[in-house]
Amino acid sequence: MTNRPGPDGFEQLEAQLGGALSRAADAVRPDDRLPHIRAAVSPTRRRPGSWWAPIAAAAAVAAIVVGAWIGLRPGAAPPLIPGIASTTAPVSPAPNTAPSTGRTGSATSAPTATVPVALPVYYLAPPGSSGGRLGLVRVFVPGQLPADATVAQKADAALAAAMTVPADNPNRFVAAWPAEVTAHYVALPAPEVGVSLSGPGVKGLTEQAQRLAVQALVWTVTAAVQQATAPVAVTVASGGPIFETVGTNVFKRPAAQQVFEEVAPIWVDSPYAGQAFAGGKAVVVTGLACVQEANVTWELRQGGSVVRQGHTMASSGCPQQGSWSVDLGTLAGGRYEFRATEVSMKDGSVDFANVVPFTVG
Amino acid sequence: MVMGTLSMADPGLADPGSGAPLPGAMRRPWEAAALRASDDALTDLYAAHWVGLVRLGALLLRDGSRAEEVVQDAFVAAYPRLARLREEGTALAYLRRSVVNGCRSGFRRHGVEERYLTFVRGSADAPGRKSGDSAETTALRRRDDAALLEAVHRLPQRQREVVVLRYYSDLSERQIADALDISPGSVKAHAHRALTTLRSTLGDAS
């Protein structure tokens, strides 16, 4: 292929190289990632300053999750995010959003083009043992949103997902909200954002669980609007407090150095629960951890049996969240469960476990 | 905080991806113009070079998915200066250098080499194995291709990069030197060593 003279005596080899590399390259059919690049460089992420940095990181991971999803499931539509009516139908306008933009549709308007998204949603995870603690787990929920979805639509979709514990998730997230209670984003004068609950949370949670259940909504909505430090006003439309011990108020995420007080020890960003990998593709598990000595213990299980196990180090130890990854390589087809755990330094018991099921082939 | 007054449509919270105003005074007129220029440059450069750069990355990494991530990162990182780079005519060279650097760190970081070697020995999604040709001559050529590609990827990293940039991207020594941030003389030396090694390897194998 090359028309440049190479070193003497290599003409035949050079011709072979050009042909072999060209044929190998021609066989590569890249997916379209322009929407993900656009999302990654959206204006709110270009501004100087640091308040959005954690959200930018989350969005970058989300883009990877979406990209991986698209790459691994060609031709298939992502599952729906709770609250999003259909993959092509317009999103129903949420209360208190901005209809004047003309982006929200009605039941009779033309279908709106949708794009795959993976919204960061926060759930309240129980401890793995009596010595552990409750904490928030970030889950990237895949789904479809209109290509021109507004901030309000994104926030409503994320809040809808946060209100319902995923039924097929093995992590036994705490169900803090009755099925009939909904949450909607409310636009407030900057820098505040609002969340309007249709009713209070479930009764009988511990005080800590009540507080963190509200914080799960705070983390979720601030991630959706990409304003990590925004104060969030939470109101209950039916009146009364949010929980027995938590009244309506303005809440915030903790300062960076206090984040460890709210987050669960281990997050798994990819794969998401139920993700299907094509056969022959390497499976790489990634996440964040705030664990002792930055040590993440993991197991890969199949049919209840441990087929592989190991340890990996996060990039930093608690009180900071460090990133970690485990390259599982190419796996044989089947159903798997990846289990990342924090093991007690005292007695070796499991203080926390984050379990993600996925399939290959 | 006054909870009783919930604004219906705060323009400060308009969709950041829609080109609508950002909160407060965060968007100045000149910033808006610059962003539009960058968006235009992104659209054009993506259309012109996305596929080629991913293929370059796939040849360096032997992992198409990872190559997409690397090239996506390159576009994202270059975004603020894409308009200027396009104006200067240096956008492709800049992106190519980012991709080569990204592949280099990606190759180290993710154990791609191991997966690549596994793949070259028989994985169904190996580059060069998707075209679906079935003639006997094509099968023989594929076998030869696989042997040659495996030999290329056993080369030292710098030699491998020179070979791919020279014989796939068809770059001059000067362009390769620019992409790899080395001298043209080094490019020539790496190319010669690579070809010598490949000829020896393939000769030994046959």
Side-chain angles (χ1 to χ4, degrees):
Chain A
M1 114 175 216
T2 182
N3 55 10
R4 299 177 205 292
D8 291 341
F10 291 108
E11 291 81 3
Q12 187 182 352
L13 177 57
E14 289 182 299
Q16 287 176 331
L17 271 172
L21 290 169
S22 290
R23 283 188 287 276
D26 288 346
V28 177
R29 301 279 187 267
D31 289 324
D32 180 15
R33 290 202 177 195
L34 184 57
H36 308 306
I37 295 171
R38 287 198 187 289
V41 299
S42 65
T44 50
R45 302 185 61 201
R46 291 181 211 136
R47 294 199 300 267
S50 60
W51 59 264
W52 48 263
I55 299 303
V61 175
I64 292 169
V65 170
V66 170
W69 199 97
I70 292 169
L72 296 170
R73 297 280 305 277
L80 300 181
I81 293 173
I84 301 300
S86 116
T87 54
T88 55
V91 173
S92 299
N96 300 320
T97 55
S100 59
T101 62
R103 291 199 196 92
T104 51
S106 68
T108 57
S109 62
T112 303
T114 60
V115 293
V117 296
L119 296 173
V121 177
Y122 294 82
Y123 296 102
L124 181 53
S129 68
S130 57
R133 59 177 172 80
L134 286 160
L136 303 182
V137 166
R138 182 177 68 191
V139 175
F140 285 100
V141 178
Q144 295 269 346
L145 280 178
D148 57 352
T150 63
V151 163
Q153 288 173 322
K154 293 171 188 170
D156 275 342
L159 286 169
M163 296 295 284
T164 307
V165 170
D168 56 349
N169 195 299
N171 286 305
R172 299 181 294 112
F173 294 137
V174 175
W177 308 101
E180 69 276 12
V181 172
T182 57
H184 289 289
Y185 164 80
V186 179
L188 294 177
E192 290 186 354
V193 299
V195 172
S196 174
L197 293 163
S198 64
V202 299
K203 308 285 185 195
L205 298 180
T206 65
E207 199 168 315
Q208 185 196 27
Q210 294 175 33
R211 187 183 73 79
L212 286 175
V214 176
Q215 285 300 102
L217 299 183
V218 171
W219 282 69
T220 298
V221 75
T222 51
V225 302
Q226 299 192 7
Q227 297 182 32
T229 59
V232 180
V234 182
T235 58
V236 179
S238 60
I242 306 171
F243 288 103
E244 298 97 308
T245 63
V246 184
T248 55
N249 207 332
V250 180
F251 304 87
K252 287 189 74 172
R253 292 189 186 200
Q257 62 271 25
Q258 303 298 323
V259 159
F260 71 94
E261 294 178 349
E262 296 195 353
V263 300
I266 300 174
W267 291 358
V268 178
D269 290 331
S270 178
Y272 60 78
Q275 185 166 347
F277 290 88
K281 296 275 188 179
V283 177
V284 179
V285 185
T286 62
L288 296 178
C290 184
V291 293
Q292 293 181 33
E293 307 291 344
N295 188 27
V296 177
T297 303
W298 61 270
E299 287 178 351
L300 181 67
R301 296 183 176 188
Q302 190 174 34
S305 302
V306 177
V307 295
R308 211 180 303 173
Q309 58 188 339
H311 304 268
T312 190
M313 298 290 288
S315 59
S316 63
C318 236
Q320 287 188 315
Q321 279 184 306
S323 59
W324 59 271
S325 68
V326 175
D327 188 347
L328 298 173
T330 305
L331 299 173
R335 296 172 61 86
Y336 294 89
E337 201 173 76
F338 185 87
R339 181 181 167 87
T341 56
E342 181 187 35
V343 176
S344 167
M345 303 290 274
K346 264 192 312 190
D347 56 11
S349 62
V350 173
D351 277 346
F352 179 78
N354 194 331
V355 182
V356 177
F358 63 93
T359 59
V360 175
Chain B
M1 212 285 303
V2 182
M3 294 297 298
T5 55
L6 304 182
S7 121
M8 289 287 286
D10 176 14
L13 292 176
D15 181 5
S18 68
L22 288 169
M26 288 178 173
R27 179 83 65 86
R28 308 285 191 275
W30 63 268
E31 289 176 324
L35 291 179
R36 272 198 302 277
S38 287
D39 285 339
D40 291 345
L42 171 62
T43 303
D44 293 348
L45 292 168
Y46 179 92
H49 303 304
W50 167 254
V51 172
L53 289 170
V54 172
R55 286 176 171 172
L56 169 63
L59 289 175
L60 292 171
L61 288 170
R62 301 310 300 261
D63 186 325
S65 298
R66 187 76 69 193
E68 288 181 14
E69 291 171 17
V70 168
V71 179
Q72 177 176 317
D73 289 347
F75 270 102
V76 170
Y79 181 83
R81 55 187 76 87
L82 276 183
R84 180 174 56 78
L85 291 169
R86 183 176 61 161
E87 214 166 274
E88 295 171 354
T90 56
L92 176 58
Y94 184 93
L95 289 167
R96 189 191 293 124
R97 186 158 47 194
S98 298
V99 169
V100 172
N101 288 335
C103 289
R104 195 177 298 151
S105 56
F107 202 83
R108 284 196 299 267
R109 202 170 52 235
H110 295 292
V112 174
E113 185 170 19
E114 192 177 327
R115 292 208 298 279
Y116 156 69
L117 291 174
T118 304
F119 142 77
V120 160
R121 292 180 189 121
S123 168
D125 65 349
R129 297 185 184 207
K130 288 182 178 175
S131 58
D133 293 343
S134 57
E136 185 180 346
T137 52
T138 304
L140 291 171
R141 190 179 64 200
R142 281 189 179 185
R143 187 197 61 186
D144 293 343
D145 281 0
L148 185 53
L149 293 172
E150 179 162 354
V152 166
H153 281 268
R154 287 188 181 282
L155 292 171
Q157 173 190 297
R158 192 67 90 186
Q159 292 180 28
R160 182 172 63 246
E161 291 168 352
V162 167
V163 164
V164 170
L165 290 171
R166 182 169 196 151
Y167 298 107
Y168 167 65
S169 298
D170 204 18
L171 300 187
S172 67
E173 284 173 358
R174 169 67 63 185
Q175 289 172 313
I176 296 172
D178 177 57
L180 301 181
D181 199 20
I182 58 178
S183 69
S186 295
V187 172
K188 188 176 285 189
H190 284 305
H192 192 275
R193 286 192 205 111
L195 292 173
T196 302
T197 303
L198 290 174
R199 186 162 62 184
S200 170
T201 303
L202 296 173
D204 292 345
S206 61

